Amino acid sequence: MHQVYTGTQIREAEQPLLAAGAGPQLMHQAAWGLAQGVIELLHEHQLAVPGARITGLIGAGNNGGDGLWALSFLARRGAHITAICTAERVHPEGAAAFRAAGGRFLSGPETADYARAEVVIDAVLGTGARGAWEGHPVPEGALVVACDIPSGVSADTGQVSGQAITADLTVTFGGLKVGLFNGAGAAHSGNIKLVDIGLGPHLPAPELQLLSPTDIPELLPPAAPHAHKYTRGVLGVLAGSTKYPGAASLVCAGALATGVGMIRFLTQTEHAEPLTTLVLGAHPEVVPATDPTERVQAWLVGSGLSDSDHRVEQAKQVLTLTQQQQLPAVIDADGLKLIEPATTQPRVLTPHAGEAAALLNRLGAGSDDATQNQRVDRANVEADPLAAAQKLAELTGDVIVLKGPHTIICGPDAGPGQRFIYPGGHPFLATAGSGDTLAGIIAAVLTGWAEADAAPPLAAQAAAGVWLHGAASYAVAAGGPFGASQLAAGVRTVVAELL
Ligand SMILES: NC(=O)C1=CN([C@@H]2O[C@H](COP(=O)(O)OP(=O)(O)OC[C@H]3O[C@@H](n4cnc5c(N)ncnc54)[C@H](O)[C@@H]3O)[C@@H](O)[C@H]2O)[C@@H](O)CC1
């Protein structure tokens, strides 16, 4: 498990060390790590360090100091180092080390030396940045290594209010920063390398957690040797409609690949109908059900419902039932339009940005803060998904899985096991029906834990489902582009490797 902090938390953690006079030592450690990052990137691109043309963009603060020290270390390895100051002030010790190593300050971005740079170290702004940044040109084709956080990106939130540099690699110090993963920041950070500068004992509880493969086995429900189908858990599924029949099959595929004892699929009518025929054709083990009160351990409601009046009525009935029985439930897609906020039931909501905006508006979130009387739109959610997920979790009391290029998982409470980020999944995962599969996976995890004595927090269960879905996408993508119906095979592969 990796911990992710706001820039402010990292700055606070540095304070006791700075007060004890460790500032220069911290800067050397950071700069050494930055130089290593540059060397690794050069090697990755089959470029030699001796003779490499490396220019630093140097700001006024300690971020600039890190950049200058790193350049001086790279000069020892034979790199040709230059720097451009973007402010009038420059870190004095850093500048002295840079000059002593043979570094040369350039007058500005229009110089021929800068145009020929193979690597640019962005050391303009770090965690001390405030407000919008006016930006700085980067030569075409140069590799960009950001020092701590790409300039222009807020380390606290990932928001970009002016310009921001886009890095191939960000070498970050002391702890991963929220800004590297959330909102626009994620698209500016490139690969991320963490350099330990010894802040460990001073770091607070993290803002977010990032699951590692080794965390997953204990978050997936155990398959006990003497289990039978009812003790493994029965999942009730209300998904799919005449308009979106495939969703029903995809959620069942996701759930079966993750592992459930049984699926009861709530049919549209009492008579054989095409939707149920399709589901049973793909998954003969699914049990069709016409009565929602038959016993299950958890429900999945909403994927592919469309606005079919009958399906919506069924969904309302099931939502009321799950609430009365306090059953765990995953509510997806059109089901989100039907939920009532603030229940005590263990629920996971799985909106994408557009659905999250609609839900925030329905719950009145657009009118009680700086955006007074303005409606929240998809772009607002995409700019700061963590804030949107936190707000939704607070308003609904539910665990929110806010889907996107980076998925946020956020419970209603603060503290460990409550807030996670999953940075990615293969780009091929952006395909119709992949959300249905995800809902099925998460629902299966909830089903397996529903009656266990020592289950992980609901948000951690949901985060494990998100992780599984992402890992499955890499397993399947190895064979080329895929459709959502192929994802379940990847889930099975990943679960088999983990258990
Ligand atoms: N404090 C520490 O213990 C350590 C800090 N380190 C580095 O220090 C950085 C933080 O240093 P600082 O606090 O000096 O802050 P920064 O170096 O991030 O920037 C502060 C400077 O930038 C200017 N500035 C702020 N916002 C601006 C904007 N929007 N446009 C233009 N100029 C702007 C400010 O006037 C100030 O001079 C970290 O990100 C990290 O790189 C590392 O050396 C490791 C140790």
Side-chain angles (χ1 to χ4, degrees):
M1 184 114 58
H2 299 285
Q3 320 294 347
V4 185
Y5 304 90
T6 63
T8 305
Q9 285 180 313
I10 298 284
R11 286 174 79 82
E12 284 169 4
E14 288 166 353
Q15 285 315 308
L17 296 166
L18 296 182
Q25 187 197 331
L26 293 182
M27 188 172 280
H28 285 194
Q29 282 174 281
W32 185 259
L34 177 58
Q36 290 307 313
V38 172
I39 291 168
E40 285 159 19
L41 188 68
L42 282 166
H43 288 164
E44 244 172 64
H45 286 78
Q46 277 83 45
L47 294 168
V49 183
R53 292 186 298 276
I54 306 175
T55 303
L57 297 176
I58 305 297
N62 289 329
N63 197 249
D66 294 341
L68 288 166
W69 276 104
L71 284 163
S72 76
F73 297 147
L74 288 161
R76 290 191 203 162
R77 295 285 301 268
H80 176 80
I81 57 163
T82 51
I84 296 174
C85 292
T86 62
E88 283 177 11
R89 190 185 167 279
V90 65
H91 190 273
E93 292 83 13
F98 171 75
R99 285 203 182 88
R104 206 159 42 83
F105 283 103
L106 306 176
S107 56
E110 60 291 334
T111 50
D113 274 302
Y114 188 49
R116 292 190 301 131
E118 291 166 291
V119 178
V120 169
I121 296 180
D122 157 33
V124 184
L125 294 173
T127 56
R130 296 290 169 264
W133 181 53
E134 63 186 23
H136 198 285
V138 171
E140 219 181 300
L143 295 167
V144 177
V145 179
C147 172
D148 208 14
I149 183 105
S151 294
V153 173
S154 158
D156 280 346
T157 66
Q159 284 187 293
V160 173
S161 47
Q163 300 291 312
I165 276 193
T166 300
D168 297 285
L169 170 71
T170 297
V171 181
T172 201
F173 314 125
L176 297 172
K177 320 272 183 316
V178 171
L180 298 171
F181 299 99
N182 192 43
H188 285 273
S189 303
N191 292 331
I192 294 163
K193 176 182 164 79
L194 172 65
V195 174
D196 183 5
I197 56 170
L199 301 187
H202 307 284
L203 287 168
E207 185 74 4
L208 286 171
Q209 291 172 297
L210 243 149
L211 294 177
S212 309
T214 49
D215 301 317
I216 307 303
E218 65 190 39
L219 296 177
L220 295 180
H226 304 298
H228 54 73
K229 62 188 176 205
Y230 296 113
T231 53
R232 280 188 79 197
V234 181
L235 170 65
V237 170
L238 170 47
S241 56
T242 308
K243 187 172 177 193
Y244 298 115
S249 187
L250 291 169
V251 297
C252 292
L256 289 167
T258 309
V260 284
M262 191 204 281
I263 293 178
R264 285 192 203 281
F265 176 71
L266 196 63
T267 59
Q268 289 195 102
T269 64
E270 297 205 356
H271 311 291
E273 27 94 26
L275 178 63
T276 307
T277 308
L278 179 96
V279 172
L280 292 183
H283 311 290
E285 58 274 69
V286 168
V287 177
T290 50
D291 176 6
T293 61
E294 280 185 277
R295 184 154 164 67
V296 298
Q297 271 74 44
W299 272 97
L300 185 158
V301 179
S303 315
L305 281 195
S306 83
D307 292 330
S308 136
D309 288 346
H310 173 61
R311 228 36 185 155
V312 167
E313 275 317 305
Q314 281 184 310
K316 284 182 183 163
Q317 196 188 348
V318 171
L319 288 175
T320 309
L321 191 79
T322 61
Q323 206 169 316
Q324 285 163 351
Q325 298 179 348
Q326 293 288 297
L327 284 181
V330 174
I331 318 293
D332 188 36
D334 284 331
L336 296 167
K337 295 178 185 164
L338 308 173
I339 59 142
E340 296 298 330
T343 69
T344 51
Q345 177 198 352
R347 276 195 320 203
V348 176
L349 313 185
T350 54
H352 56 56
E355 290 163 341
L359 194 50
L360 281 165
N361 285 319
R362 179 155 78 81
L363 302 177
S367 55
D368 65 349
D369 53 24
T371 57
Q372 234 172 14
N373 298 325
Q374 283 176 16
R375 289 180 65 75
V376 180
D377 62 21
R378 172 186 273 272
N380 299 135
V381 172
E382 285 170 347
D384 192 350
L386 176 58
Q390 276 171 316
K391 187 79 188 169
L392 267 181
E394 192 184 297
L395 289 169
T396 59
D398 295 324
V399 168
I400 307 299
V401 172
L402 178 49
K403 299 179 286 192
H406 284 31
T407 293
I408 308 275
I409 302 97
C410 182
D413 311 311
Q418 288 296 325
R419 289 180 189 161
F420 300 85
I421 187 156
Y422 180 73
H426 193 282
F428 291 161
L429 200 49
T431 183
S434 107
D436 302 328
T437 313
L438 173 65
I441 295 170
I442 298 174
V445 177
L446 264 56
T447 305
W449 282 119
E451 291 180 359
D453 291 334
L458 195 65
Q461 295 178 33
V466 171
W467 186 95
L468 203 52
H469 180 249
S473 72
Y474 286 99
V476 181
F482 59 83
S485 61
Q486 286 151 290
L487 253 179
V491 174
R492 204 165 276 124
T493 307
V494 175
V495 173
E497 280 167 7
L498 286 171
L499 297 181

